[in-house]
């Protein structure tokens, strides 16, 4: 009677170079390096359990001769299968335990034998060897049948002007000052500086406001100069914001005591079909008389914003809505006004005052408003991530998409409230034949940042929420006390993180609106101290910044086309709702910049919510993440949610404890079946019941050696 299982080895010449490809050659007595024939079930960090086997094998005698002939015939491209069979107790029947290809790129021969490594013919091996290869994929080949009907963002259009100051040097008096007769008005010289407008939007006019030549009649309509003219209608939810920060000075040689009190700085508004009208005026806030120069002086210290100003609202006729609203063609001008009306003894004589801007503070005027695109919507091609996953698999395995052996799948679970779709930068920029430039390893890192892991069973890869690969309600295997030997319990340094970085790489925008973007990198500390810093980085290679998406769309709007192609290789993803024939932007939650009022989409992918999606992973290290900082907007909110706060993590959310169980079992004990790999291995040692998730199992089917186990501690 057979009392111990035995092992059988076989080779198959799959190309039929030496023997028929259907013939299996028994090489049980020709294999020399049995000690290396180990099968491993393990996780890569917190993936699902994956079965792996790869080791060098030494062949002698007839097996050596066969492999030499195959290599001589086809070199690297030679093919052969190596099979391992196990004979069970009390049976003469063999069961196939493992089938592996031999990797002839590792072929090494001498007079005694041939050494060659095995390689799995399953999906894990293809991924391992080609995951970092960057592929160019035509978007049209994998695009969703529905497009994203993107409602364009209204970003801030901005302009700034400087008022030329006068240092009171008589040599430059005529260039940088203006004289205004009593009863008259004149504009100051304001040089336009920086302007940022919506490409493809309405052509608002930001211009240098020239000195006006007052004709002495005091009529505002005679003022040709202005600093801004609107080409679009303002709406009550987005007024035009004007700020003025300057010190304006005036002087006059006069004996009239209250002369300076009748001088004004004014903001003028001209509507289509009407003349200019004062909608804001400032009276001097300081006045003095100089005995040396025999003149009166006064000054205005202006630090003003139109936001919330009911005076301008009253002047424009919308008293309930503070701020400035402009219709198409409306103009704004900043001017000085001499309201004196003196009865002089000399007929026709009129006094005057000289006005200028002081050097300190730097005299500056700014305007901002939410610009509107001429095209309110844009249809953008998007990709279902599962289609991209399958495309990567097709390319890595070089399989025909019409006859697939290797497949991929995503189970999104309930981590996010919207559908996830991908868009290539070239699609956003409006390229006719858009290409996505990507690699599988980036896809994996992106999914991991979102809170997903993968598992591989044979030729199928499945991404799903990380917690679903650690099933506390499933038993993978039960081990009795007499089946477990040499238990060691050891703290794991692998999860001893001092801090966490989560989110996205920092983006540098050539736009004032870039400061509003909140989807950057958030940093937290864990409260754990150690000699050296250890950082957990969950940084997505794919971008979720809505400002970046909008700015790329504006590149498409801009007919001159920017030459900046630095973002063309980038991949973006968005939260969408299925709107029937198209996708609509998910807006149930939005990010709002408190400084500018800019509203942004992709709130579910803000780093604050990424932390929530990764609670179980982060909980391995800490029960409290302490917010440290961000490299992007620090003053945004999602509804009433404070996204810049500490995060508490309950012990019950912990994936497992950062402790490993290591022990051995006899060779007779089989490994857990694939359907239960991700459940708990339960065992008893010295009368104490324990349980953990598989970290690694090493089993040698060819020798009667112990099976080595490593588990992540749960209880």
């Amino acid at each position: 009677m057979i009392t111990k299982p035995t092992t059988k080895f076989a080779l198959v010449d799959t190309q039929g170079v030496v023997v028929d490809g259907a013939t299996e050659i028994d090489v049980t007595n020709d294999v020399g390096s049995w000690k290396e024939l180990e099968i491993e079930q393990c996780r890569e960090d917190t993936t699902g359990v994956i079965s792996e086997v790869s080791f060098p094998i030494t062949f002698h005698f007839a097996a050596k001769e066969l492999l030499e002939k195959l290599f001589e015939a086809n070199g690297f491209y030679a093919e052969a299968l190596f099979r391992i069979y196990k004979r069970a107790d009390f049976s003469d029947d063999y069961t196939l335990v493992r089938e592996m290809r031999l990797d002839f790129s590792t072929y090494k021969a001498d007079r005694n034998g041939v050494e060659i490594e095995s390689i799995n013919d399953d999906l894990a091996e293809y991924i391992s060897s080609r995951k970092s290869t960057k592929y160019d994929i035509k978007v049209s080949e994998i695009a969703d049948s529905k497009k994203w009907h993107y409602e364009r963002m209204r970003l801030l259009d901005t302009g700034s002007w400087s008022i030329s100051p006068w240092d009171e040097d008589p040599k430059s008096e005529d260039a940088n000052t203006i004289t205004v007769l009593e009863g008259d008005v004149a504009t100051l010289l304001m040089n336009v500086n920086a302007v940022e407008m919506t490409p493809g939007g309405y052509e608002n006019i930001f211009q240098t406001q020239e000195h006006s030549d007052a004709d002495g009649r005091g009529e505002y309509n005679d003022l040709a100069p202005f600093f801004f003219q609107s080409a679009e209608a303002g709406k009550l939810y987005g007024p035009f914001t004007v700020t003025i920060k300057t010190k304006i000075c005036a002087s006059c040689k006069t004996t009239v005591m209250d002369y300076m009190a009748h001088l004004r700085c004014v903001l003028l508004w001209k509507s289509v079909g009407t003349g200019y009208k004062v909608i804001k005026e400032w009276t001097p806030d300081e006045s003095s008389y100089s005995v040396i120069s025999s003149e009166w002086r006064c000054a205005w210290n202006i630090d003003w914003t139109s936001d919330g100003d009911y005076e301008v609202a009253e002047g424009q006729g919308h008293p309930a809505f503070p701020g400035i609203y402009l219709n198409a063609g409306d103009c704004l001008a900043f001017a000085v006004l001499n309201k004196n009306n003196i009865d002089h003894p000399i007929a026709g004589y009129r006094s005057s005052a000289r006005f200028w801007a002081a050097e300190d503070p730097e005299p500056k005027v700014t305007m901002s408003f939410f610009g509107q695109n001429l095209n309110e919507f844009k249809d953008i091609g998007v990709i279902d991530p599962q289609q991209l996953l399958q495309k990567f698999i097709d390319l890595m395995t070089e399989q025909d998409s019409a006859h697939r052996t290797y497949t991929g799948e995503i189970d999104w679970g309930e981590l996010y409230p919207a559908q996830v779709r991908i868009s290539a930068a070239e699609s956003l920029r409006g390229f006719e034949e858009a290409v996505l430039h990507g690699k599988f390893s980036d896809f994996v890192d992106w999914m991991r940042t979102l809170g997903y892991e993968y598992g591989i069973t044979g030729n199928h890869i499945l991404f799903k929420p990380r917690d679903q690969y650690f099933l506390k309600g499933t038993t993978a295997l039960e081990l009795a006390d007499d089946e477990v030997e040499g238990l060691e319990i050891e703290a794991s340094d692998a999860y001893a993180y001092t801090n966490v970085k989560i989110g996205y790489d920092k983006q540098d925008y050539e736009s004032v609106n870039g400061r509003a973007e909140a989807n950057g990198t958030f940093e937290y500390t864990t409260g754990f101290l150690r000699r050296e810093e250890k950082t957990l980085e969950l940084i997505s290679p794919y971008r979720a910044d809505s400002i970046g998406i909008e700015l790329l769309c504006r590149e498409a709007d801009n007919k001159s086309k920017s030459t900046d192609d630095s973002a063309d290789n980038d991949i973006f993803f968005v939260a969408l709702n299925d709107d029937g024939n198209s996708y609509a932007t998910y807006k149930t939650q939005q990010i709002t910049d408190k400084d500018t009022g800019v509203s942004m989409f992709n709130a579910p992918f803000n780093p604050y919510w990424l932390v929530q999606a990764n609670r179980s992973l982060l909980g391995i290290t800490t029960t409290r993440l302490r917010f440290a900082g961000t490299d992007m907007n620090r003053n945004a909110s999602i509804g009433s949610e404070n996204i810049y706060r500490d995060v508490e993590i309950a012990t019950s959310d912990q994936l497992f404890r950062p402790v490993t169980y290591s022990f051995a079992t006899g060779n007779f004990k089989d490994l857990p079946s694939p359907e239960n790999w991700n459940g708990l291995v339960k065992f008893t040692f010295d009368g104490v019941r324990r349980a953990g998730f598989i970290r690694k199992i090493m089993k040698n089917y060819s020798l009667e050696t112990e099976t080595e186990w490593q588990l992540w501690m749960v209880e």
Side-chain angles (χ1 to χ4, degrees):
M1 181 172 61
I2 300 173
T3 58
K4 292 184 178 180
T6 60
T7 304
K8 171 186 170 183
F9 302 122
L11 282 176
V12 179
D13 175 6
T14 54
Q15 294 175 319
V17 174
V18 180
V19 296
D20 188 286
T23 302
E24 185 178 85
I25 304 167
D26 190 332
V27 294
T28 302
N29 297 321
D30 299 346
V31 176
S33 54
W34 284 18
K35 292 184 179 180
E36 303 297 329
L37 301 184
E38 287 188 314
I39 293 188
E40 180 178 276
Q41 290 182 358
C42 65
R43 298 180 188 268
E44 295 181 12
D45 293 325
T46 52
T47 66
V49 176
I50 300 168
S51 181
E52 296 182 349
V53 57
S54 181
F55 42 78
I57 310 169
T58 302
F59 294 93
H60 304 286
F61 312 126
K64 171 181 177 290
E65 294 177 5
L66 172 62
L67 296 176
E68 285 175 335
K69 292 177 181 178
L70 294 177
F71 185 75
E72 182 179 348
N74 291 320
F76 284 174
Y77 296 95
E79 294 182 6
L81 290 178
F82 179 61
R83 291 172 179 167
I84 304 174
Y85 292 90
K86 175 186 175 183
R87 187 170 65 183
D89 293 336
F90 311 109
S91 172
D92 291 329
D93 296 327
Y94 285 101
T95 301
L96 180 65
V97 175
R98 199 76 181 182
E99 179 180 87
M100 297 156 285
R101 286 188 299 118
L102 296 181
D103 180 5
F104 278 83
S105 70
T106 66
Y107 177 92
K108 183 167 60 176
D110 59 25
R111 65 190 305 172
N112 297 317
V114 168
E115 182 180 280
I116 191 168
E117 289 190 10
S118 67
I119 183 171
N120 280 339
D121 203 21
D122 59 21
L123 184 55
E125 290 294 343
Y126 284 105
I127 290 174
S128 179
S129 62
R130 296 174 180 174
K131 62 185 176 183
S132 297
T133 301
K134 179 169 277 192
Y135 297 97
D136 292 341
I137 303 170
K138 290 183 178 180
V139 171
S140 58
E141 295 178 356
I142 55 174
D144 199 303
S145 59
K146 300 177 183 179
K147 290 185 179 292
W148 174 22
H149 194 51
Y150 171 43
E151 182 179 2
R152 303 295 296 277
M153 291 179 65
R154 298 196 70 182
L155 300 183
L156 282 179
D157 283 6
T158 61
S160 67
W161 297 260
S162 59
I163 305 172
S164 298
W166 182 44
D167 60 3
E168 302 193 34
D169 182 347
K171 294 180 182 179
S172 58
E173 181 177 7
D174 291 339
N176 294 327
T177 68
I178 189 166
T179 300
V180 184
L181 296 172
E182 60 182 79
D184 213 348
V185 63
T187 52
L188 294 167
L189 175 63
M190 290 171 45
N191 294 301
V192 66
N193 295 329
V195 175
E196 181 173 333
M197 288 193 296
T198 303
Y202 293 87
E203 295 297 326
N204 301 286
I205 299 174
F206 296 78
Q207 69 173 20
T208 292
Q209 176 181 278
E210 302 291 346
H211 273 313
S212 63
D213 295 325
D215 62 3
R217 294 182 300 174
E219 295 182 4
Y220 304 141
N221 292 351
D222 293 335
L223 294 176
F226 57 84
F227 66 84
F228 179 79
Q229 183 176 40
S230 173
E232 64 176 286
K235 297 183 180 180
L236 294 183
Y237 62 79
F240 292 76
T241 298
V242 177
T243 67
I244 302 175
K245 186 171 185 177
T246 184
K247 181 177 182 177
I248 302 295
C249 302
S251 67
C252 178
K253 293 182 182 293
T254 181
T255 59
V256 179
M257 297 291 293
D258 64 347
Y259 191 93
M260 310 308 284
H262 293 89
L263 303 181
R264 299 286 186 271
C265 292
V266 294
L267 182 65
L268 300 174
W269 164 57
K270 183 180 184 297
S271 187
V272 176
T274 67
Y276 276 104
K277 178 182 180 181
V278 175
I279 58 174
K280 179 71 179 179
E281 67 176 54
W282 292 266
T283 58
D285 49 22
E286 58 181 77
S287 180
S288 63
Y289 181 75
S290 172
V291 176
I292 297 175
S293 59
S294 300
E295 65 181 5
W296 283 94
R297 287 195 168 208
C298 67
W300 295 258
N301 295 289
I302 302 173
D303 189 357
W304 174 79
T305 178
S306 61
D307 278 352
D309 193 311
Y310 283 92
E311 182 182 342
V312 295
E314 184 72 33
Q316 287 196 304
H318 49 80
F321 301 97
I324 297 174
Y325 295 89
L326 301 176
N327 290 311
D330 286 8
C331 297
L332 292 175
F334 184 56
V336 289
L337 172 64
N338 189 335
K339 298 180 74 172
N340 284 285
N341 185 14
I342 302 171
D343 185 13
H344 294 280
I346 302 175
Y349 175 80
R350 296 168 69 187
S351 64
S352 64
R354 182 172 294 278
F355 293 82
W356 69 92
E359 291 184 297
D360 187 31
E362 179 185 357
K364 188 174 184 180
V365 176
T366 66
M367 166 170 275
S368 63
F369 57 94
F370 287 99
Q372 185 173 339
N373 292 279
L374 288 171
N375 300 315
E376 190 174 354
F377 289 89
K378 179 182 178 69
D379 289 329
I380 300 171
V382 292
I383 302 164
D384 185 332
Q386 183 160 306
Q387 292 299 316
L388 179 58
L389 168 62
Q390 186 60 59
K391 186 65 176 180
F392 278 133
I393 293 171
D394 292 347
L395 292 169
M396 288 188 294
T397 61
E398 300 179 359
Q399 68 180 349
D400 182 357
S401 60
H403 304 90
R404 287 188 173 117
T405 300
Y406 306 96
T407 55
E409 180 184 356
I410 300 175
D411 175 0
W412 291 103
E414 298 180 356
L415 290 184
Y416 297 96
Q419 295 191 39
V420 181
R421 290 295 181 268
I422 287 171
S423 186
E426 292 189 2
S427 295
L428 298 173
R429 292 191 70 180
F431 287 20
E432 289 187 9
E433 190 60 73
V435 173
L436 182 147
H437 311 274
K439 52 188 177 182
F440 182 76
S441 59
D442 281 351
F443 185 92
V444 172
D445 290 344
W446 168 60
M447 291 294 288
R448 188 165 190 259
T449 301
L450 290 182
Y452 296 86
E453 296 284 6
Y454 69 86
I456 300 175
T457 304
N459 298 328
H460 185 71
I461 184 171
L462 172 62
F463 284 87
K464 57 185 178 181
R466 183 179 292 107
D467 291 8
Q468 294 185 24
Y469 278 115
F470 294 83
L471 303 175
K472 294 180 180 179
T474 298
T475 300
L477 194 68
E478 292 264 8
L479 296 171
D481 202 336
D482 59 356
E483 294 178 312
V484 177
E485 182 180 337
L487 175 64
E488 294 182 0
I489 302 175
E490 182 180 2
S492 173
D493 182 69
Y495 292 94
Y497 296 111
T498 57
N499 55 308
V500 174
K501 292 183 179 181
I502 188 168
Y504 314 90
D505 287 329
K506 177 178 173 58
Q507 301 298 321
D508 294 318
Y509 306 101
E510 295 181 359
S511 168
V512 67
N513 291 279
R515 66 174 183 261
E517 182 57 60
N519 282 355
T521 299
F522 280 21
E523 292 195 46
Y524 299 85
T525 58
T526 64
F528 180 70
L529 299 178
R530 55 181 293 161
R531 181 174 298 175
E532 295 180 354
E533 183 180 62
K534 185 178 177 69
T535 303
L536 170 62
E537 293 195 4
L538 293 170
I539 302 298
S540 168
Y542 295 0
R543 294 172 56 179
D545 48 308
S546 52
I547 296 291
I549 289 173
E550 175 59 31
L551 291 179
L552 282 177
C553 288
R554 293 187 178 200
E555 292 288 352
D557 295 338
N558 189 354
K559 294 181 181 179
S560 64
K561 293 290 183 183
S562 167
T563 57
D564 180 11
D565 60 358
S566 59
D568 283 356
N569 287 340
D570 290 350
I571 300 173
F572 294 79
F573 66 105
V574 288
L576 302 177
N577 288 328
D578 192 330
D579 209 21
N581 296 324
S582 62
Y583 292 110
T585 308
Y586 172 83
K587 291 186 176 181
T588 303
Q589 294 177 310
Q590 293 196 85
I591 305 170
T592 302
D593 174 38
K594 296 178 183 178
D595 293 328
T596 63
V598 172
S599 292
M600 294 157 281
F601 53 90
N602 268 355
F605 306 133
N606 179 263
Y608 172 78
W609 290 117
L610 296 182
V611 168
Q612 312 306 318
N614 286 280
R615 291 175 70 89
S616 60
L617 173 62
L618 299 169
I620 298 172
T621 302
T622 184
T623 57
R624 185 184 184 192
L625 286 174
R626 298 152 181 84
F627 181 79
T630 175
D631 59 4
M632 299 292 277
N633 188 350
R634 185 62 175 81
N635 198 24
S637 64
I638 300 177
S640 60
E641 193 75 37
N642 174 17
I643 60 177
Y644 309 106
R645 65 177 180 85
D646 296 351
V647 178
E648 304 290 338
I649 302 175
T651 304
S652 58
D653 290 335
Q654 187 181 50
L655 204 60
F656 50 77
R657 295 176 61 183
V659 177
T660 58
Y661 293 137
S662 298
F663 57 86
T665 60
N667 187 268
F668 64 88
K669 196 68 180 180
D670 282 332
L671 302 182
S673 59
E675 59 268 21
N676 295 323
W677 275 346
N678 299 301
L680 285 173
V681 174
K682 299 177 180 179
F683 66 97
T684 303
F685 186 79
D686 286 346
V688 179
R689 188 71 168 164
R690 302 179 186 274
F693 291 114
I694 294 172
R695 182 184 188 186
K696 181 190 291 185
I697 309 173
M698 300 289 291
K699 185 176 182 64
N700 192 317
Y701 278 102
S702 62
L703 294 177
E704 299 300 317
T705 57
E706 294 177 332
T707 299
E708 298 175 1
W709 299 70
Q710 283 188 12
L711 307 181
W712 287 117
M713 177 181 177
V714 174
E715 59 183 56

